[in-house]
Amino acid sequence: MLGNDTIGYLALLAGVLSLFSLANIFISVPVQTYIQKETPDEYMSRVFSLVSMISRGGMPLDALVYGICS
């Protein structure tokens, strides 16, 4: 019923991806707000540079794990 060529499959995929995006918003906004409140102003750029580096560094690691597992 949900083959790769059906509109139902596309709608289900779009719905799941929308839920993941919504969950990401509800997690990342409070975390970034907390970081901004707790970090002294003179260290703000250093902290956010480190957070950005860690989050962008996770993408190649995920691709590596996916490549090994598939």
Side-chain angles (χ1 to χ4, degrees), residues 4-59:
N4 289 337
D5 294 331
T6 63
I7 291 293
Y9 181 77
L10 178 64
L12 179 65
L13 182 62
V16 169
L17 290 176
S18 296
L19 287 175
F20 282 150
S21 297
L22 189 64
N24 185 23
I25 291 169
F26 281 112
I27 293 170
S28 67
V29 170
V31 167
Q32 286 196 2
T33 303
Y34 176 76
I35 290 172
Q36 286 178 355
K37 284 183 178 181
E38 296 298 320
T39 304
D41 289 337
E42 59 269 10
Y43 295 114
M44 191 74 69
S45 62
R46 294 177 193 171
V47 169
F48 274 102
S49 295
L50 185 62
V51 169
S52 176
M53 184 179 68
I54 291 171
S55 65
R56 288 186 181 159
M59 286 187 275

Side-chain angles (χ1 to χ4, degrees), residues 60-70:
L61 182 63
D62 292 341
L64 177 67
V65 170
Y66 181 75
I68 291 172
C69 293
S70 62

